[in-house]
Amino acid sequence: MSLAVGMVTYVSSAAATDFPTFPLRRCAPDAVLAGTVCLDKFEATVWRVPNPATTNASLVKKIQMGRATRADLTAGAATQLGTFTNVDYAPCANNGQTCAHDIYAVSLPSEIPAANLTWFQAQEACANARKRLPTNAEWQVGANGTPDPGPDNGATDCNTDSDGQQSPTGARSSCISARGAFDMLGNLAEWVADWVPTSTMCPGWASFSNDEMCLAGASTTANGPGALVRGGAFASLGGARAGPLAVHVFQPQHSTNFVGFRCAR
Amino acid sequence: VRAGNVCIDTYEASVWQIPAANRALVRRVQLGRATLAELTNGGATQVSPASTCTPGFPTTFPATGNWTTPLFAVSVAGVTPTSCVTWFQAEQACALSGKRLLTNQEWQRAAAGTPDPGTDDGGTDCNVGGLGRPLASGARSNCESHWGAFDMVGNVEEWVADWVPQSTVCPGWGAFSDDLMCLAGASTTATGPGALVRGGSFQSFTEAGVFALDNRPTTTLGNSPAVARKSLGFRCAR
């Protein structure tokens, strides 16, 4: 047996004891199994938790275990951030440099998901919850199977055209993917991990899909890379342009009232 | 160090040749427990330290990463990290230690909070300019992120996993940051993809920082994954 073969054998036996074991079989109650990852069931709500290292250490632990409820957050005097037009993440700055142990992303039903935050703030909120932004490929698996009727009936369909703002998470009962994630289409468009050059145009998917497709025409002048945003939103990226194939490119330092995120682990 | 749901190496990687007979040392490396003393006492030798890039990578671990004799990436303080390493070699050296390159997102997370004064006091600040050469990992005591990772800014710039089209220009971040930003103007002629490089190096001055993002065609190979240069190293994660 060569050294290389022996080493590979050893690495796999170490994985069984020291590191997460794969394939994943089960996720925390706030997430659904989507291929090789646990993807949050809902678009993220963001909370500021006071005293995270002392009186609220157990609340932080519950968040990190994916078991925190609205009642737990209220009991801990946590304040919800980023609802509708609120931009109240400070001192967690747009560049994400001051956000450790400050803002926490939580996947909860029937809450207003957080918008108006940059890619940097979104990934810090995930990281404090011991999660991360999903990759583009992971997001796609999580979204597949969500009905995409194009128009929006204002009740059960994904919120792409009717409310003019984000609906509470999971409020649109038909807007669920094959893996059980809600609001992958419409409501808030969602940051994913991947960076690319900033796009300059949106040629669409042609006959493949009526969803928007803006990954084209790399800018030579944009002051920032581009980060992918998926699924479309309630408004500016809504209507028929929203869908499981919708892909937009925003600079990671940008924030707006129709872009939010969800976490994975 | 733990950063969210991944473990990011505390230090920039040094790559080591370990005698084939010393299976116990390989095991310590793969468990993330090997010390500098264990490496040197165990007959291991460092490959391509950034100070000189000598001795370079052996022919058994070529630029393509198609190795026939393994080398191992290790996160230890007190040695100059390895540079003059291609993306392919870096990725393989991480994998042989049971690790992988960080994604761009993970790198950004682990770097958060690293002080970026723009200047370099020559003592405790990140090694971004003035000295003009790389230092031993962890030598600059203030150059630590909120997550506890050292030298994310400056010293050697770092390969991350992501590939994109090769860039042609560096418009910067505008008012957001004075750090380098070269993810722009996808080449239509480059004969290779581009791989992202983060953090800036010992010669980047104000352009180094937690937002520094390079993908510049600096050689005939551009910033493709096949490039190797003295200022460019890596770190691993798992």
Side-chain angles (χ1 to χ4, degrees):
Chain A
M1 180 185 284
S2 74
L3 173 62
V5 171
M7 185 172 53
V8 169
T9 304
Y10 173 72
V11 169
S12 60
S13 66
T17 52
D18 290 359
F19 310 114
T21 54
F22 295 93
L24 280 179
R25 293 174 198 284
R26 226 171 32 168
C27 296
D30 67 340
V32 296
L33 184 58
T36 56
V37 300
C38 291
L39 184 70
D40 276 1
K41 199 180 291 186
F42 302 106
E43 289 174 341
T45 59
V46 173
W47 301 77
R48 171 158 287 120
V49 177
N51 309 312
T54 53
T55 51
N56 268 327
S58 62
L59 173 59
V60 168
K61 189 161 181 172
K62 271 191 123 167
I63 292 171
Q64 293 172 338
M65 302 273 289
R67 295 179 179 279
T69 63
R70 149 69 81 163
D72 294 330
L73 291 157
T74 305
T79 49
Q80 191 176 358
L81 307 177
T83 55
F84 302 118
T85 55
N86 288 330
V87 186
D88 45 7
Y89 300 102
C92 173
N94 284 348
N95 63 14
Q97 296 307 289
T98 48
C99 310
H101 314 300
D102 182 22
I103 61 170
Y104 293 82
V106 186
S107 165
L108 290 174
S110 307
E111 301 290 349
I112 300 302
N116 288 308
L117 80 179
T118 67
W119 183 96
F120 299 103
Q121 291 169 316
Q123 82 146 348
E124 288 289 325
C126 289
N128 287 332
R130 298 237 170 106
K131 299 178 181 175
R132 59 182 169 77
L133 291 174
T135 67
N136 180 58
E138 291 166 347
W139 188 95
Q140 191 71 59
V141 170
N144 287 342
T146 307
D148 179 22
D152 167 1
N153 67 8
T156 56
D157 288 344
C158 293
N159 176 17
T160 61
D161 223 0
S162 55
D163 278 3
Q165 61 185 20
Q166 66 263 54
S167 307
T169 50
R172 300 299 186 91
S173 58
S174 297
C175 192
I176 182 171
S177 74
R179 269 83 183 183
F182 283 91
D183 304 319
M184 298 296 288
L185 317 191
N187 220 29
L188 295 178
E190 300 178 17
W191 289 118
V192 296
D194 307 55
W195 282 11
V196 292
T198 292
S199 297
T200 57
M201 57 186 113
C202 300
W205 288 93
S207 61
F208 183 65
S209 168
N210 63 1
D211 296 348
E212 198 143 67
M213 201 303 288
C214 300
L215 187 48
S219 170
T220 56
T221 55
N223 285 129
L228 298 191
V229 169
R230 298 300 314 271
F234 60 80
S236 307
L237 317 181
R241 295 181 300 170
L245 279 301
V247 52
H248 294 85
V249 180
F250 289 102
Q251 293 181 4
Q253 71 270 36
H254 180 70
S255 62
T256 179
N257 69 330
F258 52 81
V259 176
F261 67 109
R262 79 179 65 216
C263 307
R265 65 171 131 209
Chain B
V1 296
R2 178 152 71 184
N5 61 335
V6 295
C7 293
I8 309 281
D9 278 2
T10 308
Y11 302 105
E12 291 171 338
S14 52
V15 175
W16 297 78
Q17 187 150 33
I18 298 176
N22 202 341
R23 295 287 301 279
L25 183 55
V26 169
R27 194 172 164 137
R28 295 279 292 168
V29 164
Q30 291 173 338
L31 283 169
R33 295 179 183 282
T35 63
L36 184 54
E38 286 175 355
L39 287 163
T40 47
N41 295 340
T45 51
Q46 191 188 350
V47 173
S48 196
S51 48
T52 56
C53 289
T54 306
F57 279 84
T59 54
T60 52
F61 209 98
T64 59
N66 292 329
W67 54 270
T68 49
T69 303
L71 296 174
F72 301 90
V74 186
S75 163
V76 287
V79 290
T80 313
T82 286
S83 71
C84 302
V85 54
T86 69
W87 184 96
F88 299 105
Q89 289 167 321
E91 205 278 327
Q92 292 290 327
C94 286
L96 287 160
S97 293
K99 302 177 182 177
R100 58 180 170 77
L101 288 177
L102 288 69
T103 67
N104 179 62
Q105 181 203 3
E106 290 165 345
W107 191 96
Q108 190 72 57
R109 179 194 300 173
T114 306
D116 177 22
T119 54
D120 174 352
D121 66 0
T124 57
D125 287 344
C126 294
N127 178 22
V128 298
L131 191 65
R133 61 180 171 82
L135 285 169
S137 49
R140 293 296 181 87
S141 57
N142 281 350
C143 193
E144 182 181 8
S145 77
H146 283 322
W147 301 96
F150 283 88
D151 303 322
M152 299 297 290
V153 173
N155 215 29
V156 292
E157 53 194 338
E158 303 178 17
W159 287 119
V160 295
D162 308 54
W163 285 12
V164 290
Q166 274 188 45
S167 296
T168 56
V169 285
C170 299
W173 286 92
F176 181 68
S177 169
D178 63 3
D179 295 347
L180 191 65
M181 202 305 286
C182 299
L183 186 50
S187 172
T188 56
T189 54
T191 52
L196 298 188
V197 170
R198 299 301 311 266
S201 75
F202 57 83
Q203 55 197 12
S204 297
F205 295 92
T206 57
E207 287 188 333
V210 299
F211 299 107
L213 169 60
D214 203 353
N215 182 28
R216 262 184 303 190
T218 51
T219 71
T220 53
L221 285 171
N223 218 32
S224 91
V227 163
R229 58 177 183 256
K230 187 173 173 179
S231 62
L232 176 53
F234 65 106
R235 80 178 65 214
C236 307
R238 63 174 136 206

